Amino acid sequence: MNEKKQSTNQEAEALKRHLENQFQQLRPQGEMPGSLKKNVFDTLEALRLLSDVFDLFTVKFTKVESTVIGSIDSTSAPADKGEEEKEEDQDPSQ
Amino acid sequence: MIFLKNKPTGLDQLTDQQLVRAILGETDPKKQLLAQEELYGRYAEKVYFKCLGLVKDSDTAKDLTHDILVKMFLSLSKYRGEGAFRGWLFSMVYNHCINFLKKQKRLQPEDLEELDLPDEEIEAEHKYLLELRLLQLEQLIGQLTDTERLVLLLRYQEGLSVKQMAGAMGIGESAVKMRLKRSRDRLAELFKKLEK
């Protein structure tokens, strides 16, 4: 019984090795398309640009926006104040 | 995109793991591109021919290879360097191609029967597959269905275990064993016809 099982195992192993050997020699015919490299790196470049733009509008844009708003506030505040003062100086009856 | 050709960089001396670290750690875009090109050169052709073997159509294989390589570069940070890089990449190839074949409904629906088949790949009627030679296999492989070709390639060309195949195909191990058995049956049947 054991001998029979051992023989079956050996046959199974031999068949497995044979199939592996034959399948590993299989090579699909043809050549890899030359344009593939350009396509891959163009896509990566496009994704990088997209990521930069996205980054600009999420992180940097808010920073830039707050900086700009801050600078507008700081520059416009004295002017506004000046205008207010001017308005106060004017005679309300006029 | 301009590729810098034949410029000695020393990158070819690096192992895959070192090359991946070089790509991830490089801040200079030109140097990073050179490292990416080196990795591309090592694996693009292998990925393409694996895809071609699995889907049997050069245009589809080209599209799949493009997507897999882009995905590879974008997810390099997920490669932890624990196993071989090629194993990590090739499992991405199998998953991508299997998902494609599933979407195209080119894979047979999962077997409902859960048979407890042994791991051994021998059936008495398959003994004469030992006579099968490469030229004959090249003829027969085109006559197999997508599922039959896929399981035989994953098992005997890629050397995946039943467990690994189950993981890649998203089915149970017994379903993989059943598909393997049916695929061997079919290969044997086609081989018999060819011999007559």
Side-chain angles (χ1 to χ4, degrees):
Chain A
M1 188 71 178
N2 271 349
E3 278 176 17
K4 195 182 171 190
K5 196 179 174 187
Q6 201 178 354
S7 152
T8 311
N9 283 346
Q10 282 173 353
E11 284 170 350
E13 195 51 42
L15 179 63
K16 187 185 168 199
R17 273 203 308 272
H18 178 71
L19 287 176
E20 279 174 352
N21 187 27
Q22 299 302 313
F23 271 87
Q24 282 165 15
Q25 289 180 60
L26 270 180
R27 289 286 169 268
Q29 302 296 311
E31 282 184 12
M32 191 174 76
S35 58
L36 187 60
K37 186 175 182 181
K38 187 180 180 306
N39 292 346
V40 168
F41 283 92
D42 280 352
T43 305
L44 286 173
E45 184 65 22
L47 289 172
R48 200 170 289 141
L49 281 173
L50 199 67
S51 157
D52 287 348
V53 171
F54 186 75
D55 192 33
L56 175 73
F57 277 92
T58 51
V59 185
K60 288 176 189 160
F61 182 74
T62 33
K63 280 183 191 167
V64 170
E65 196 183 35
S66 60
T67 315
V68 171
I69 290 170
S71 63
I72 290 171
D73 280 350
S74 60
T75 52
S76 62
D80 290 346
K81 200 181 173 186
E83 280 169 18
E84 280 167 19
E85 281 169 1
K86 276 181 191 173
E87 281 170 14
E88 280 171 15
D89 289 344
Q90 286 173 351
D91 188 352
S93 60
Q94 285 177 351
Chain B
M1 177 66 60
I2 298 164
F3 300 112
L4 304 167
K5 286 181 183 172
N6 304 326
K7 194 178 175 187
T9 56
L11 290 168
D12 55 341
Q13 306 294 321
L14 299 181
T15 63
D16 289 342
Q17 276 98 336
Q18 289 168 333
L19 189 58
V20 170
R21 277 201 294 271
I23 293 171
L24 294 173
E26 189 54 69
T27 50
D28 180 346
K30 279 182 188 168
K31 286 181 182 170
Q32 191 184 45
L33 178 64
L34 280 173
Q36 285 177 324
E37 279 184 58
E38 172 66 25
L39 193 63
Y40 177 95
R42 287 185 194 182
Y43 287 106
E45 201 170 81
K46 291 184 180 80
V47 171
Y48 173 75
F49 284 114
K50 277 192 192 302
C51 291
L52 187 57
L54 294 172
V55 300
K56 284 277 163 200
D57 172 70
S58 56
D59 286 338
T60 310
K62 184 186 164 191
D63 291 344
L64 290 171
T65 306
H66 168 272
D67 295 350
I68 291 165
L69 292 173
V70 168
K71 192 175 164 189
M72 173 194 82
F73 282 119
L74 294 179
S75 47
L76 277 182
S77 59
K78 290 180 189 162
Y79 171 62
R80 294 172 188 173
E82 285 163 359
F85 179 78
R86 60 186 296 136
W88 179 79
L89 174 60
F90 291 164
S91 67
M92 204 182 275
V93 176
Y94 311 138
N95 286 330
H96 205 82
C97 290
I98 289 168
N99 284 340
F100 170 80
L101 292 170
K102 276 183 184 168
K103 276 182 196 161
Q104 298 283 308
K105 301 194 188 309
R106 282 168 61 178
L107 291 186
Q108 289 154 9
E110 189 174 345
D111 300 305
L112 295 173
E113 50 203 319
E114 288 283 311
L115 298 180
D116 191 22
L117 294 169
D119 280 339
E120 300 305 336
E121 2 241 307
I122 187 81
E123 294 92 27
E125 68 271 27
H126 294 160
K127 276 183 193 169
Y128 69 94
L129 276 178
L130 286 166
E131 305 294 317
L132 179 71
R133 294 291 172 259
L134 182 61
L135 272 176
Q136 295 154 329
L137 181 59
E138 281 173 343
Q139 268 182 280
L140 299 179
I141 200 94
Q143 297 177 42
L144 298 171
T145 65
D146 288 314
T147 306
E148 290 162 351
R149 196 177 58 250
L150 177 75
V151 292
L152 291 174
L153 286 174
L154 290 182
R155 181 71 169 144
Y156 299 114
Q157 192 176 57
E158 303 300 327
L160 262 62
S161 68
V162 169
K163 194 177 176 182
Q164 287 171 319
M165 286 173 69
M169 297 174 75
I171 56 177
E173 287 183 35
S174 42
V176 170
K177 286 181 197 172
M178 177 49 80
R179 286 179 186 203
L180 267 169
K181 185 191 176 311
R182 284 183 184 161
S183 306
R184 282 194 301 269
D185 286 348
R186 176 110 159 100
L187 186 66
E189 184 190 310
L190 290 170
F191 184 46
K192 254 184 204 170
K193 279 185 192 168
L194 191 73
E195 289 290 273
K196 275 180 188 172

Coordinates of all heavy atoms in Angstrom, one line a residue, chain B residues 110-119 123 162 172-182 185:
Chain B
E110 N -17.1 31.1 -10.7 CA -16.5 30.3 -9.6 C -17.3 29.0 -9.5 O -18.5 29.0 -9.4 CB -16.5 31.0 -8.3 CG -15.6 30.3 -7.3 CD -15.5 31.1 -6.0 OE1 -15.8 32.3 -6.0 OE2 -15.1 30.5 -5.0
D111 N -16.5 27.9 -9.3 CA -17.2 26.6 -9.1 C -17.9 26.6 -7.8 O -17.3 27.0 -6.8 CB -16.1 25.5 -9.1 CG -15.4 25.4 -10.4 OD1 -16.1 25.3 -11.5 OD2 -14.2 25.5 -10.4
L112 N -19.1 26.1 -7.8 CA -19.8 26.1 -6.5 C -19.4 24.9 -5.7 O -19.5 24.9 -4.5 CB -21.4 26.1 -6.8 CG -21.9 27.4 -7.4 CD1 -23.3 27.2 -7.8 CD2 -21.7 28.5 -6.4
E113 N -19.1 23.8 -6.4 CA -18.7 22.6 -5.7 C -17.4 22.8 -4.9 O -16.4 23.3 -5.5 CB -18.7 21.4 -6.6 CG -17.8 21.7 -7.8 CD -18.2 20.9 -9.0 OE1 -18.4 19.7 -8.8 OE2 -18.2 21.4 -10.1
E114 N -17.4 22.4 -3.7 CA -16.2 22.5 -2.9 C -15.6 21.1 -2.7 O -15.9 20.4 -1.7 CB -16.5 23.1 -1.5 CG -16.8 24.6 -1.6 CD -15.5 25.4 -1.8 OE1 -14.5 25.2 -1.0 OE2 -15.5 26.3 -2.7
L115 N -14.9 20.6 -3.6 CA -14.4 19.2 -3.5 C -13.0 19.2 -2.8 O -12.2 20.1 -3.0 CB -14.2 18.6 -4.9 CG -15.5 18.4 -5.7 CD1 -15.2 17.8 -7.0 CD2 -16.5 17.6 -4.9
D116 N -12.8 18.2 -2.0 CA -11.6 18.2 -1.3 C -10.6 17.3 -2.1 O -10.4 16.1 -1.9 CB -11.8 17.5 0.1 CG -10.5 17.7 1.0 OD1 -9.7 18.6 0.7 OD2 -10.4 16.9 1.9
L117 N -9.9 18.0 -3.0 CA -9.0 17.3 -3.9 C -7.6 17.3 -3.3 O -7.2 18.3 -2.6 CB -8.9 17.9 -5.3 CG -10.2 17.9 -6.1 CD1 -10.1 18.8 -7.3 CD2 -10.5 16.5 -6.5
P118 N -6.8 16.2 -3.5 CA -5.5 16.3 -3.0 C -4.6 17.3 -3.8 O -5.0 17.7 -4.9 CB -5.0 14.8 -3.2 CG -5.8 14.3 -4.4 CD -7.1 15.0 -4.2
D119 N -3.5 17.7 -3.2 CA -2.6 18.6 -3.8 C -1.9 18.0 -5.0 O -1.4 18.7 -5.9 CB -1.6 19.2 -2.8 CG -2.2 20.3 -2.0 OD1 -3.2 20.9 -2.4 OD2 -1.7 20.5 -0.9
E123 N -3.3 12.4 -12.2 CA -4.4 11.6 -12.5 C -3.9 10.6 -13.5 O -3.1 10.9 -14.3 CB -5.5 12.4 -13.1 CG -6.1 13.5 -12.2 CD -5.4 14.9 -12.3 OE1 -4.9 15.2 -13.4 OE2 -5.4 15.6 -11.3
V162 N -1.0 26.6 -4.6 CA -2.5 26.6 -4.7 C -3.0 27.8 -3.8 O -3.9 28.5 -4.2 CB -3.1 25.3 -4.2 CG1 -4.6 25.4 -4.0 CG2 -2.8 24.2 -5.2
G172 N -11.6 30.2 -3.4 CA -11.1 29.2 -2.4 C -10.1 28.3 -3.0 O -9.9 28.1 -4.2
E173 N -9.3 27.6 -2.1 CA -8.2 26.7 -2.5 C -8.8 25.5 -3.2 O -8.2 25.0 -4.2 CB -7.4 26.3 -1.3 CG -6.5 27.4 -0.8 CD -5.6 26.9 0.4 OE1 -5.2 25.8 0.4 OE2 -5.4 27.7 1.3
S174 N -10.0 25.0 -2.8 CA -10.5 23.8 -3.4 C -11.0 24.2 -4.8 O -11.0 23.4 -5.7 CB -11.6 23.2 -2.6 OG -12.5 24.2 -2.0
A175 N -11.5 25.4 -5.0 CA -11.9 25.9 -6.3 C -10.7 25.9 -7.3 O -10.8 25.6 -8.4 CB -12.6 27.2 -6.3
V176 N -9.5 26.4 -6.7 CA -8.3 26.4 -7.5 C -7.9 25.0 -7.9 O -7.6 24.7 -9.1 CB -7.2 27.1 -6.7 CG1 -5.8 26.9 -7.5 CG2 -7.4 28.5 -6.5
K177 N -8.0 24.0 -6.9 CA -7.6 22.7 -7.2 C -8.5 22.1 -8.3 O -8.1 21.4 -9.2 CB -7.7 21.8 -6.0 CG -6.6 22.0 -5.0 CD -6.9 21.1 -3.8 CE -6.1 21.6 -2.6 NZ -6.4 20.8 -1.4
M178 N -9.8 22.4 -8.2 CA -10.8 21.9 -9.2 C -10.5 22.5 -10.6 O -10.5 21.8 -11.6 CB -12.2 22.3 -8.8 CG -13.3 21.9 -9.7 SD -13.2 20.2 -10.3 CE -14.0 19.4 -8.8
R179 N -10.2 23.8 -10.6 CA -9.8 24.4 -11.9 C -8.6 23.8 -12.5 O -8.4 23.6 -13.7 CB -9.7 25.9 -11.8 CG -11.1 26.5 -11.6 CD -10.9 28.0 -11.4 NE -12.3 28.6 -11.0 CZ -12.6 29.8 -11.2 NH1 -11.7 30.7 -11.8 NH2 -13.8 30.2 -10.9
L180 N -7.6 23.5 -11.6 CA -6.3 23.0 -12.1 C -6.6 21.6 -12.7 O -6.1 21.2 -13.7 CB -5.3 22.8 -10.9 CG -4.4 24.0 -10.7 CD1 -3.7 23.9 -9.4 CD2 -3.4 24.1 -11.8
K181 N -7.4 20.8 -12.0 CA -7.7 19.5 -12.4 C -8.4 19.5 -13.8 O -8.0 18.8 -14.7 CB -8.6 18.7 -11.4 CG -8.8 17.3 -11.8 CD -9.9 16.6 -10.9 CE -10.2 15.2 -11.4 NZ -10.4 15.0 -12.8
R182 N -9.4 20.4 -13.9 CA -10.1 20.5 -15.2 C -9.2 21.0 -16.3 O -9.4 20.5 -17.4 CB -11.3 21.4 -15.0 CG -12.4 20.8 -14.3 CD -13.6 21.7 -14.2 NE -14.6 21.1 -13.3 CZ -15.6 21.8 -12.8 NH1 -15.7 23.1 -12.9 NH2 -16.5 21.2 -12.0
D185 N -7.1 18.1 -17.3 CA -8.0 17.2 -18.1 C -8.1 17.7 -19.6 O -7.9 16.9 -20.5 CB -9.4 17.2 -17.5 CG -9.5 16.4 -16.2 OD1 -8.5 15.7 -15.9 OD2 -10.5 16.5 -15.5

